[in-house]
Amino acid sequence: MTELSLIHRFEPGTDAGRRPLLLLHGTGGDESDLLPLGRAVAPGAALLSPRGAVLENGMPRFFRRLAEGVFDEADVRRRADDLAEFVAAARRAYGIDAPVALGFSNGANIAAATLLLRPEALAGAVLLRPMMPLGDPPEADLAGKPVLMLSGATDPIVPADNARRLADLLGRAGARVEHAVLPAGHGLTQTDIARIGAWMERERVPATA
Ligand code: MLT
């Protein structure tokens, strides 16, 4: 990896009480997709938004999959490492603290993998419609890291017990997990946006920190 090897957009922060956000799009998205969401849920936060480097039929993703919901786990591990290195380089280049990931679908899954494999890269995470990214996850130390997981009750892609297992795993690793199952499918709703905004308010950096 060279410095800042992922195509990305960066918006500097204007509110020191907000942690930077690492925005991770879903399959077929790009680095512009989640900027409006980031601005809406955390006004004034620095926004770092990379584009996934894997292409599936022309659609950017953050790691390869063999079929829907069946992941190439060697690639998951490699891409989580790449993402952690990208974050480290971006922190040096832009002078920002460790970010909170805000990932949707495939972006949530690479965020979960990065939490488990490279916990130092992230200060926490908001995982929107995530699933278990690895069959044999490592024992990570996520002590005190805040994680908001929002699942959809009628999500046709993510089985309910799969999301529950991920929440349990992150909790056992020490993360402060809040997991809600919303009356929604795989797509995001206004309820997601309200829940994320409220969580971001609660997770503001204390003025004395
Ligand atoms: C994935 O491949 O990460 C999940 O199936 C979600 C998706 O991108 O459809």
Side-chain angles (χ1 to χ4, degrees):
M1 294 257 303
T2 52
E3 288 258 305
L4 296 185
S5 54
L6 295 176
I7 295 168
H8 67 283
R9 287 179 62 180
F10 176 72
E11 290 188 2
T14 55
D15 180 347
R18 300 272 192 196
R19 292 185 201 283
L21 297 185
L22 175 68
L23 303 175
L24 300 167
H25 62 77
T27 300
D30 68 19
E31 66 278 15
S32 298
D33 266 28
L34 295 186
L35 290 171
L37 177 65
R39 291 184 201 120
V41 297
L47 303 177
L48 176 63
S49 188
R51 184 194 304 177
V54 169
L55 284 180
E56 181 184 278
N57 302 321
M59 296 186 296
R61 286 175 52 83
F62 286 96
F63 57 82
R64 287 181 220 289
R65 63 180 163 184
L66 308 173
E68 191 166 281
V70 184
F71 302 152
D72 175 341
E73 296 203 10
D75 197 61
V76 172
R77 288 170 184 274
R78 176 186 154 204
R79 305 288 176 177
D81 262 339
D82 287 354
L83 185 62
E85 297 303 325
F86 167 78
V87 168
R91 287 184 58 188
R92 288 192 296 273
Y94 297 121
I96 55 171
D97 289 336
V100 169
L102 172 57
F104 167 63
S105 189
N106 181 245
N109 297 339
I110 193 67
T114 305
L115 269 178
L116 293 165
L117 295 162
R118 297 289 302 269
E120 80 287 357
L122 299 175
V126 175
L127 307 176
L128 305 171
R129 312 297 186 268
M131 56 195 292
M132 285 286 288
L134 294 165
D136 59 341
E139 285 200 11
D141 178 4
L142 300 178
K145 288 193 200 284
V147 175
L148 173 65
M149 272 182 61
L150 297 179
S151 300
T154 55
D155 189 332
I157 295 177
V158 183
D161 79 295
N162 184 303
R164 246 190 330 265
R165 280 193 290 121
L166 176 61
D168 289 349
L169 175 70
L170 296 174
R172 279 199 309 278
R176 245 185 323 115
V177 180
E178 183 179 321
H179 182 203
V181 181
L182 305 180
H186 197 66
L188 299 183
T189 66
Q190 288 301 320
T191 311
D192 286 273
I193 295 169
R195 290 289 292 248
I196 305 164
W199 185 89
M200 291 283 176
E201 277 305 312
R202 291 199 298 281
E203 294 298 332
R204 285 179 72 90
V205 183
T208 50

